[in-house]
């Protein structure tokens, strides 16, 4: 028996990868990416439960941006499940605008988000690794900044008893089958296939999580 209840709210939060072009005028719009794909499959699989879904990803966001809007865009929404993917812009801004975010600052800010969520909601939490593929060539340099941040997300998942979707490893594995730009043309923003890959693995994690909750 799955641990899902009538009108449960699943909230997707993050940056442009989660945003995926969602409408700001239609607050129920899920964008055009993995959040929409995952939500559509769950809605079809559990029609009698009438799950609710919201996407509050905002393109360009870093951890500090989430902190500034967390009360309004998470806490007040009272999610049953929170899916959070953040971190690639905390890395990217070091390389394109010389605005670095240290791993310590990233981890401390991320921990504040999770602490607030645990304190003020009863949401179950899914953390999604940020990722980058080695295409174009300059993305390879990013690993020195990104890898410690991915390790921080993993530590926080353990610390807060969250579920983890290891997207960085998933995309690395996928890139062994076909060239990187098939999955993400700039190494970061997924193609249609990339978003579908994300939705598939996110759903695997979510379904395992609800089984764990039910046991």
């Amino acid at each position: 028996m799955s641990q899902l209840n009538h009108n449960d709210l699943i909230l997707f939060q993050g940056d442009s990868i989660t945003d995926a072009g969602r409408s700001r005028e239609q607050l129920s719009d899920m964008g055009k990416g993995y959040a929409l794909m995952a939500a559509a499959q769950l809605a079809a699989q559990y029609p009698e439960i009438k799950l609710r879904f919201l996407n509050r990803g905002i393109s360009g966001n870093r951890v500090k941006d989430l902190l500034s809007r967390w009360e309004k865009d998470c806490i007040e929404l009272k999610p049953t499940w929170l899916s959070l993917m953040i971190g690639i812009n905390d890395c990217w801004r070091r390389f394109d605008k010389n605005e670095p975010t240290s791993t310590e600052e990233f981890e401390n800010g991320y921990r504040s988000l999770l602490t607030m969520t645990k304190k003020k909601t009863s949401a179950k939490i899914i953390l999604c690794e940020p990722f980058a593929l080695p295409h174009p060539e300059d993305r390879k340099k990013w690993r020195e900044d990104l890898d410690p941040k991915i390790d921080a997300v993993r530590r926080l998942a353990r610390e807060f008893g969250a579920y983890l979707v290891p997207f960085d490893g998933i995309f690395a594995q996928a890139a062994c089958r076909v060239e990187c730009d098939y999955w993400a043309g700039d190494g970061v923003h997924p193609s249609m296939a990339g978003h579908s890959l994300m939705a598939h693995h996110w759903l695997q994690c979510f379904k395992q999580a609800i089984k764990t909750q039910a046991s």
Side-chain angles (χ1 to χ4, degrees), residues 94-109:
R94 168 185 166 183
F95 296 95
D96 68 349
K97 292 188 177 180
N98 194 29
E99 295 178 6
T101 301
S102 70
T103 300
E104 182 180 19
E105 182 182 359
F106 173 79
E107 185 169 355
N108 288 342

Side-chain angles (χ1 to χ4, degrees), residues 60-196:
N61 267 196
R62 291 178 271 181
V63 161
K64 68 177 185 179
D65 301 303
L66 292 186
L67 283 167
S68 71
R69 63 185 181 87
W70 205 242
E71 191 73 34
K72 174 177 178 288
D73 284 349
C74 178
I75 305 303
E76 291 180 7
L77 298 175
K78 299 179 180 178
T80 314
W81 291 85
L82 167 67
S83 175
L84 176 56
M85 182 177 183
I86 198 69
I88 192 59
N89 292 312
D90 295 86
C91 169
W92 200 340
R93 294 296 85 83
R94 168 185 166 183
F95 296 95
D96 68 349
K97 292 188 177 180
N98 194 29
E99 295 178 6
T101 301
S102 70
T103 300
E104 182 180 19
E105 182 182 359
F106 173 79
E107 185 169 355
N108 288 342
Y110 207 133
R111 182 177 286 106
S112 294
L113 293 172
L114 298 178
T115 299
M116 280 190 283
T117 303
K118 283 285 192 179
K119 182 178 180 181
K120 297 185 177 184
T121 79
S122 58
K124 293 166 279 288
I125 300 171
I126 297 174
L127 300 186
C128 302
E129 290 179 357
F131 66 87
L133 286 165
H135 174 83
E137 186 73 16
D138 66 345
R139 300 321 191 225
K140 294 178 181 178
K141 179 69 173 173
W142 292 13
R143 300 309 312 192
E144 67 186 51
D145 188 281
L146 183 59
D147 285 348
K149 290 180 171 65
I150 292 171
D151 287 341
V153 174
R154 294 170 181 171
R155 283 194 297 273
L156 290 166
R158 293 191 294 269
E159 180 180 334
F160 284 86
Y163 302 95
L164 179 71
V165 189
F167 279 138
D168 191 60
I170 288 164
F171 273 98
Q173 181 185 50
C176 294
R177 297 173 56 195
V178 68
E179 62 274 9
C180 294
D181 63 2
Y182 179 83
W183 302 110
D186 63 357
V188 172
H189 295 96
S191 62
M192 178 175 65
H195 275 292
S196 182

Side-chain angles (χ1 to χ4, degrees), residues 191-207:
S191 62
M192 178 175 65
H195 275 292
S196 182
L197 182 72
M198 292 179 69
H200 171 76
H201 286 278
W202 188 93
L203 284 164
Q204 281 190 331
C205 178
F206 182 78
K207 289 177 181 180

